[in-house]
Amino acid sequence: MAKGRIIIDIERCKGCALCNSYCPVNILDLDITTTNLKGYTPLISTDPDKCIACGFCAIMCPDSVITVERFIKEAK
Amino acid sequence: MAKGRIIIDIERCKGCALCNSYCPVNILDLDITTTNLKGYTPLISTDPDKCIACGFCAIMCPDSVITVERFIKEAK
Amino acid sequence: MISEKVIIAGFGGQGVMLMGQLLSYTATAKELNTLWFPSYGPETRGGTANCSVTISETDVNSPVISTPDSIIIMNKPSLDKFQPKLRKDGHLFLNTSLVKDVKLRNDLNIYKIPANDIAMELGNLKVANMVMLGAYLEVTKVFDPESVLEVLKKKFTGSKATLIEINKKALEAGKQAVL
Amino acid sequence: MISEKVIIAGFGGQGVMLMGQLLSYTATAKELNTLWFPSYGPETRGGTANCSVTISETDVNSPVISTPDSIIIMNKPSLDKFQPKLRKDGHLFLNTSLVKDVKLRNDLNIYKIPANDIAMELGNLKVANMVMLGAYLEVTKVFDPESVLEVLKKKFTGSKATLIEINKKALEAGKQAVL
Amino acid sequence: MSKVLMKGNEAMALAAIKAGCEAFYGYPITPQNELPEYLSKHMALHGRVFVQAESEVAAINMVYGAAGAGARVLTSSSSPGIALKQEGISYMAGAELPAVIINVMRGGPGLGGIQPSQADYKQITRGGGNGDYYLYALAPETLQEAVDLIKEAFDIADYYRNPVMIAVDGLIGQMMEPVDLDREVPKWDLTPKTWVADGNRKNRERNVINSLYLDPNDLENHNLHLKEKFDDMRKNHQRYELVNMKNAEIAIVAYGSVSRIARTAIEILAEQGIKCGILRPITLFPYPKKAFHALPKTVKDLLVVEMSTGQMLEDVKLSNECHLPVHFFGRVGGIIPEAQEIVDKVLEIVGGEKHE
Amino acid sequence: MSKVLMKGNEAMALAAIKAGCEAFYGYPITPQNELPEYLSKHMALHGRVFVQAESEVAAINMVYGAAGAGARVLTSSSSPGIALKQEGISYMAGAELPAVIINVMRGGPGLGGIQPSQADYKQITRGGGNGDYYLYALAPETLQEAVDLIKEAFDIADYYRNPVMIAVDGLIGQMMEPVDLDREVPKWDLTPKTWVADGNRKNRERNVINSLYLDPNDLENHNLHLKEKFDDMRKNHQRYELVNMKNAEIAIVAYGSVSRIARTAIEILAEQGIKCGILRPITLFPYPKKAFHALPKTVKDLLVVEMSTGQMLEDVKLSNECHLPVHFFGRVGGIIPEAQEIVDKVLEIVGGEKHE
Amino acid sequence: MNNVKTVYKKSEGLTDKYMTYCPGCTHGVIHKIVAEVLVELDVLDRTIGISSVGCSVLNYDFFNCDMQQAAHGRAPAVATGIKRVRPNSIIFTYQGDGDLASIGIAEAIHAAHRGENITIVFVNNAIYGMTGGQMAPTTLIGQKTTTSPNGRDAKTQGLPLRIAEMMATIPGATYIERVSVHNPQHVRKAKKALMKAFTIQKENKGFTLIEFISTCPVNWGMTPKDAVDWAVDNMIPYYPLGVFKDATVGEEK
Amino acid sequence: MNNVKTVYKKSEGLTDKYMTYCPGCTHGVIHKIVAEVLVELDVLDRTIGISSVGCSVLNYDFFNCDMQQAAHGRAPAVATGIKRVRPNSIIFTYQGDGDLASIGIAEAIHAAHRGENITIVFVNNAIYGMTGGQMAPTTLIGQKTTTSPNGRDAKTQGLPLRIAEMMATIPGATYIERVSVHNPQHVRKAKKALMKAFTIQKENKGFTLIEFISTCPVNWGMTPKDAVDWAVDNMIPYYPLGVFKDATVGEEK
Ligand SMILES: Cc1ncc(C[n+]2csc(CCOP(=O)(O)OP(=O)(O)O)c2C)c(N)n1
Ligand SMILES: Cc1ncc(C[n+]2csc(CCOP(=O)(O)OP(=O)(O)O)c2C)c(N)n1
Ligand code: SF4
Ligand code: SF4
Ligand code: SF4
Ligand code: SF4
């Protein structure tokens, strides 16, 4: 199960494909089926469940497109 | 007897008294009895016979006032 | 007498400048008067860009085209900007791959070309501009596509020579799209 | 009514600027109008320098003195430059220690003061200017020397205060020289 | 208040301090050196800022920064130094930043000379920087006027959010005259500087100081806004003095030191029975066109006298609107015209009419 | 010769090469970048010099050096870059050094924008540097004319030993038109450059390049000598074109790209029965005053059209000498006026008279 | 269900404006960490940033603090002007290599020389981005640009300037470091360097400059990732990372 | 009777014009050795000197070769302009510390950066002479000048710049040395340094700069001899003499 998740602000994304090279679990890709309002092909997570919330993608994204959230197990 | 002599271009001299501090035989001074056309008190050699033609004064004079000549003994 | 004023507009990177230049180069080869003039949006990069091309047998005066005879529209913002300027009965060439669900004037000749899709089918998204150009040439008959290809051949030398074939195909596909 | 225009000229370093300033300071203390204006020769250093001082009960207009009432001449080049400008019957104060064998106009009041020699006798070549000023004051009566000394006292404070005595003597010696 | 004898450059410096100038940034150049030298000593005493910049280019950009942070700020230089500041001045006009710039003019072009001159008239009134802008430019003729105008100049700069140039020739910088530094000067109606980017952002939105408008529509609006300011200066803030104009048959147009020399000239002319007045522009921009309308009907000729080859002539012609013949006399290169030369020129002009 | 389609900036660069330009020194700035880029490739192929300087200030001083060494030399920039060059340009005028300076104008003041503009008119024609000097300033309206004038400009610069400015708006720099680069242009009568300091001193005395004259008499003589040159330009080398002036009732005064737009406007006006001519200054300095004398009597109004808030207006007024009413229409900030706007303005002016 | 904790989001030091940089340009990464540091040091409200002329010219729209836009190369002079009259403010300039190393080298050196208490963020991407890819003083030998079409040639165009090394020789400078943002680890290091620089400024300890190895994918003609890799392979060997001067650790000042 | 041999006389590299420097100013000494070297290398006929703005502005009247007078600080740019079109010429600039270290630092650095084949004679007298003794970037801490009336204060005016050290970090520079002319032995050493620099230029080996410790007796308010002694006691300790870069002896280039 995912350790966390990323939220992609699609309209800010410029489809530069910089972030995905740093994803240790290789789940980022550009979504060539769509273009955003600025004309770019935006980022998509191909397998959100694998996300380990390391934040590498977000750190590397020049446009602050990605928000990273970590899931915290609630004490039962 | 002098080993050489200096020729002082009085009108170029600015009476700055820089040269004389470098004379190893201490024979240079300003001639306070006169002023040149520019209004300066020019250099004088107080004891030309002592000149060793080392050229130190000439080297240090900023205004190329001093020409230095060395006496060469002629082969008899 | 040839006298054509066209504005070509789209995103930076869609090759709108090259389209216009090809027209001006072809005009020059035919010893016509011509003027090409670019304009970039206020954004540093990734904004919109357009160029104005005038082709004429007489001297070209104003470089600015107030009322174009044709407009070639590669994206939505460009339609908003230039549709109002197009002269009555003017030609509007629309890249419908990117420009969808828009309001169009009803006093125009409108040609809808899914240029991106056609280009993708041809194997290179970059030739969408040539698809549009093919359509434009077919409708306006300003030049025949062969004359434009001649110019392309002179420009694309060396390693780029391989691109000529696909550009030719794109021109042809554009032509077909409006037949 | 006081209305005096004087030009003071000499080598840079002879204190001609200070002489003029003293006159203007004294005028200001007496609530007269005055204007002091310096001029340096084209040489960077060691060239000639002069200043123009106007003292007047009415407004001072032109800062430039075309026809001085008096000139104080500290060296030869300055005589050549300013003698022709001096008004008829004007006062020419000449530092004869440095200006010798010169042609002088015969429509002037001429005062010959061996200022350098007098200053040397007083023990400081630098006060030659004050010797000239003493002579000038005595002849023109623009101010009495005491008023000038007052100004000097205000200017020379701290370590310079010791210089007041010799300046006073110089002013007096200048006065004597033209008595 | 009693007057003190001061050198022009020092009096101007002190005037700036009295005007509440908070910072000076400048670079040495003859003949204005006493100004920064004075400030290097006295600004610190008043807890203010003095920085000797590495160049005039740096100096004007420091002025830009300080003005953008809301400070009252001064720089001074002389002709070639002002040339170097042109880009920065243009930026200030573009970003609407107030500052006072003193130009103690010397001969040019290029390195030229260090004697007094008025050869920067074009540089001052037509802007040497790029774009559509003007400086409010004041040209005093005495130290007292220089002091008074500098004190007011800071207000003017703040009022218009535009640089104000004090244009004096080397004479004014170098001369000494008694001045009263505490004379009252007009106060302008100033509003708080809410636009400053000074990093003190407790109760406001962030501010941006900027002259870039990439969208031509925005830039056009900005240009038109600036033009309104310059038009307002033209309409409401021309300054000039008319001297001895009653029944004058000829008017000398001259500013700065030259107008003083003209004053001496008209005295000489009066002795010879010639009625000559002086039209003295105090603002070089806006040029005092109104003064030309105010001339009495008796004036039949205009004589422009300048320490330049005739740079102000065009403004006189534009203001005169072809009503009167315009004559010119100039000395250049650091030569100061003499009163008698002006007299001779006037005689030459009125001569023909006199001996009728 | 057959024509080639070139971008304005590149065509101007090639024209300089054809004119025998030996060296280019410049600094990047939009919208003239293609000019140095073209030269960076092509100067070397011709064994000539291309240096990208560290700044505009350095560039103009490199130009000074190369010109002083006798080379034909070019620099180019755009508005704020020209502002930075003002001191250097003033030095060149002072030291009487020839060079060609291209200004591809953009909007200002300050950083302004990068769209076409004519807002540097004052900067170009009134000098922004210190001292009494002018630039010979040419304003082409087509690429062909730009190419031809640049080729001639090197001769003019050498002839007068003065910098020549080519003033084009960003439109001309950015547009493409077919041009013939080998058209004959007038050759000026040039004498050998015996004054150069080029370190090649076998058969001559040493030469000195200098603009400093510490003795005001020397500087005055130098200033008067320079003035003679500028007067000679004014007398003998004004350039202009009168378009469609026969029986014209109104004349549009416009230069550069704007005059092209005016050409379209007068066609539209002709369709409406209005006879409108164009007075097109080709030299901005010397301003073509003669053109105004050459206007037919039928012309009843002048309409100045500029991409500025009206910087050329003053020259028009000075040249017109109050004969005709002068009207103005301008767009600024990088907005290019449209022909229809000019038409409307003309109609507004002649309108009152028409419907009599 | 899980609770969530936001571990990364857009900094409050940045406005919401869409940044005008080309896709994948590391200018954006540098902006982010500058903004984060200003927020973390709690100085945003008293910060004035100076935008310079270059691709980053519009960053007065992006940094969420007071901003002044400076003439090309003059940002350190503008910064000096402000800091002297508003000594309580935190001032940074953000300058490209054309801006700082070429036209503005004098202003940078003299701000350091005077020991101005400001921070310079120097972005070295070995090219002029905004004007279309001309050669910069930091362009590498052999690198092709629009004004070195055959690659930079040492003989006619000289050897690339090393700014951090040069600035480190200035007695008035307090802290000089060169960093890179080519991977998350280095981004963190770079942020630490910025933190150090701004802390020095906050403590009134003088002039700080952080040089960033950055990319220009568009004018280098590469994808963003290739550009980052090119910077690692080509720039860092010539422009080694590290602290070049730290006058806070002992002698010097 | 004796025959005579002239062992020292005014160099033919100088004109007969009376030099306008203040009495005892070491500008004159530096002029002499520059002139001597040009004569001894037999390059006077193809030399172009660039006068800068400062006390030495009029040296276009003193050096007996072609001369160009440059705007304040821009001599290295003027030199670049000339050398590029006249590569056979020998070019030197002669610049004071105001001219080179302050307003002209960018032009000096970039001439070095491009590796221009020119020689800069840099005269460091720790003050602005011509304009009346204002502070220079090289003015020492505590030194009184007309714009540092209480002595230069590190806190507001920074620490003095060391030009030779800074220029030595520029990869494009070939030879950088600092010398002094405070006694005949050092004048000889200084002349040797100039000889080396001009020889490097003659052999097309690139950029050379010789920094001279010089005096300004008038603005320092000292006799010429005291000024020379002050320079030895105060300047040389902060500005040590020696070779700071010599790319002709091995690696680097
Ligand atoms: C005085 C002046 N000269 C030139 C320019 C043009 N210009 C704008 S940005 C730039 C270069 C910017 O390059 P760099 O500093 O490396 O920043 P980058 O764009 O690479 O981020 C230049 C030369 C200008 N605006 N002003
Ligand atoms: C653009 C410009 N700014 C300032 C000046 C004034 N100026 C002349 S010489 C000089 C300083 C010279 O000092 P330095 O270079 O140290 O030489 P020195 O006189 O000490 O030999 C200055 C600032 C000028 N002529 N031009
Ligand atoms: S999320 Fe950011 S880094 Fe990833 S593709 Fe989009 S813009 Fe590029
Ligand atoms: S000879 Fe030269 S060094 Fe000696 S006092 Fe005269 S000028 Fe000075
Ligand atoms: S041009 Fe280069 S530096 Fe500028 S935004 Fe684009 S990629 Fe970044
Ligand atoms: S002012 Fe100083 S540096 Fe200049 S000549 Fe005089 S002593 Fe030499």
Side-chain angles (χ1 to χ4, degrees), chain B residues 13-19 30 43 61-63 65-66:
Chain B
C13 177
K14 289 174 180 158
C16 71
L18 187 61
C19 51
L30 300 186
L43 187 73
C61 170
D63 286 279
V65 167
I66 305 168

Side-chain angles (χ1 to χ4, degrees), chain E residues 33-241:
Chain E
N33 287 317
E34 298 86 355
L35 199 156
E37 285 168 11
Y38 186 91
L39 291 175
S40 74
K41 192 181 261 157
H42 290 86
M43 284 298 257
L45 300 178
H46 290 79
R48 318 237 182 119
V49 171
F50 171 88
V51 176
Q52 181 175 309
E54 60 271 32
S55 69
E56 288 86 353
V57 170
I60 193 69
N61 286 287
M62 292 176 185
V63 168
Y64 177 102
R72 286 205 145 179
V73 50
L74 174 74
T75 187
S76 71
S77 189
S78 176
S79 311
I82 298 291
L84 276 173
K85 288 178 165 156
Q86 295 292 7
E87 189 206 21
I89 292 173
S90 171
Y91 266 76
M92 294 195 69
E96 297 192 83
L97 296 180
V100 176
I101 302 165
I102 298 177
N103 180 2
V104 185
M105 288 182 270
R106 57 192 251 183
L111 195 46
I114 54 171
Q115 305 296 330
S117 165
Q118 298 181 323
D120 290 354
Y121 185 90
K122 289 185 291 143
Q123 176 172 256
I124 292 162
T125 61
R126 296 304 187 274
N130 55 300
D132 268 305
Y133 76 94
Y134 291 91
L135 303 179
Y136 192 90
L138 291 158
E141 68 164 357
T142 62
L143 289 203
Q144 185 66 55
E145 191 178 27
V147 163
D148 294 347
L149 288 179
I150 285 171
K151 283 159 70 181
E152 197 180 341
F154 285 91
D155 264 25
I156 302 175
D158 282 344
Y159 181 85
Y160 280 119
R161 287 188 59 185
N162 201 64
V164 171
M165 172 80 79
I166 306 290
V168 300
D169 47 71
L171 261 162
I172 290 176
Q174 293 299 317
M175 65 168 64
M176 295 177 91
E177 279 193 298
V179 279
D180 176 353
L181 279 141
D182 295 308
R183 244 167 55 157
E184 283 289 322
V185 299
K187 291 265 166 270
W188 289 53
D189 192 18
L190 302 179
T191 49
K193 298 185 179 181
T194 53
W195 47 266
V196 300
D198 63 352
N200 188 356
R201 197 156 65 88
K202 294 291 162 230
N203 307 306
R204 60 164 171 83
E205 286 300 288
R206 66 191 200 95
N207 281 327
V208 172
I209 303 296
N210 176 39
S211 68
L212 177 66
Y213 295 84
L214 277 175
D215 184 326
N217 292 303
D218 294 344
L219 185 52
E220 180 162 69
N221 287 336
H222 179 57
N223 282 154
L224 294 176
H225 160 66
L226 293 179
K227 182 174 186 304
E228 261 171 42
K229 294 202 303 192
F230 304 127
D231 285 344
D232 184 74
M233 293 177 190
R234 287 195 182 97
K235 194 163 155 230
N236 300 317
H237 293 293
Q238 297 179 12
R239 292 200 197 181
Y240 59 91
E241 182 185 3

Side-chain angles (χ1 to χ4, degrees), chain G residues 26 52 70 79 96 99 115 118 122 143 147 173 186 191 194 199 218 221 225 244:
Chain G
T26 43
S52 65
D99 195 80
I118 62 170
F122 168 47
Q143 189 182 340
T147 51
H186 274 87
K191 187 172 163 185
L194 279 172
T199 304
V218 161
K225 181 57 169 65
F244 288 86

Side-chain angles (χ1 to χ4, degrees), chain D residues 44-45, chain H residues 20-27 55 125 127 129-130 215-219:
Chain D
T44 322
R45 308 282 157 179
Chain H
T20 43
Y21 303 103
C22 301
C25 172
T26 44
H27 263 308
C55 285
N125 62 3
I127 209 160
M130 159 154 264
T215 64
C216 178
V218 160
N219 288 299

